Amino acid sequence: GAVVSQHPSWVICKSGTSVKIECRSLDFQATTMFWYRQFPKQSLMLMATSNEGSKATYEQGVEKDKFLINHASLTLSTLTVTSAHPEDSSFYICSATSGTSGGAGYEQYFGPGTRLTVT
Amino acid sequence: KQEVTQIPAALSVPEGENLVLNCSFTDSAIYNLQWFRQDPGKGLTSLLLIQSSQREQTSGRLNASLDKSSGRSTLYIAASQPGDSATYLCAGSYYKLSFGAGTTVTVRA
């Protein structure tokens, strides 16, 4: 149990276009989902926390208008990278938890990641 | 600030040797501590989760200990195999997960 999927697994887009990444919890209801970014040979950096039906909470330094997050249902969250630029190229990983209180203390289940390359 | 540190950054051992990976955290008020494995270009695979009230967890060849008072967790992998080569990340669970930078392990056949 506790499977999280991401789609697509990799995407190449041209500079200036927008890209949407989906994160789905397949066998549980995710009250809270998280979006992380990982640069090569570095650890995961939390970008934002989203709760179903609420606006996402962004970490300091993360541009809200550039990285749009929608958590429309208990099984789906989307991250849209708007007007993508080469510096947005990265590995994006989502996680999900069924815990409340923003997920604090609850186990997070991670998706397989999405490799974004902006040319 | 909730900082998580992993030392060493990289480790190379011959097959069959036991692995010891270290994780330290500055804030002992963690809910739990998780160990993950990450293969190149892949997502995270959860290995072990230790609740703050526990001192260790075991799964097969893996054993993880937690000492909140000293702010340390250790992941032991017994009788390492080439397939254990990967990056191992620890993460302390506070309001959010705080990740260490990882230890990249190479097990030589």
Side-chain angles (χ1 to χ4, degrees), chain A residues 63-75:
Chain A
E63 299 177 60
K64 301 179 183 181
D65 295 332
K66 179 157 195 65
F67 299 100
L68 300 178
I69 292 172
N70 187 345
H71 192 161
S73 75
L74 285 172
T75 59

Side-chain angles (χ1 to χ4, degrees), chain B:
Chain B
K1 188 176 179 181
Q2 295 148 349
E3 295 183 352
V4 178
T5 305
Q6 290 185 251
I7 296 174
L11 187 60
S12 179
V13 299
E15 182 177 3
E17 191 165 301
N18 296 332
L19 285 164
V20 180
L21 307 179
N22 298 303
C23 173
S24 60
F25 44 94
T26 56
D27 187 345
S28 62
I30 58 173
Y31 290 102
N32 58 59
L33 188 132
Q34 290 185 251
W35 282 93
F36 298 90
R37 169 183 173 143
Q38 185 175 32
D39 293 290
K42 304 294 184 181
L44 302 183
T45 300
S46 180
L47 298 176
L48 291 168
L49 182 150
I50 313 173
Q51 297 291 352
S52 62
S53 59
Q54 298 175 319
R55 292 192 65 85
E56 68 175 352
Q57 278 285 340
T58 299
S59 176
R61 294 184 295 113
L62 277 59
N63 174 276
S65 65
L66 175 65
D67 185 343
K68 285 182 59 180
S69 61
S70 65
R72 294 181 182 180
S73 177
T74 303
L75 177 66
Y76 300 90
I77 303 178
S80 62
Q81 305 167 358
D84 295 329
S85 298
T87 296
Y88 292 83
L89 297 164
C90 70
S93 176
Y94 301 92
Y95 176 72
K96 57 186 179 183
L97 282 184
S98 292
F99 281 88
T103 296
T104 299
V105 171
T106 303
V107 180
R108 308 186 303 271

Side-chain angles (χ1 to χ4, degrees), chain A residues 5-19:
Chain A
S5 69
Q6 278 184 246
H7 178 80
S9 56
W10 60 270
V11 57
I12 301 173
C13 70
K14 292 187 177 180
S15 186
T17 62
S18 295
V19 175

Side-chain angles (χ1 to χ4, degrees), chain A residues 30-48:
Chain A
T31 51
T32 307
M33 286 185 166
F34 305 85
W35 286 96
Y36 295 85
R37 182 174 183 178
Q38 187 178 34
F39 291 103
K41 299 189 183 301
Q42 294 188 26
S43 193
L44 278 70
M45 180 192 77
L46 179 65
M47 299 174 66

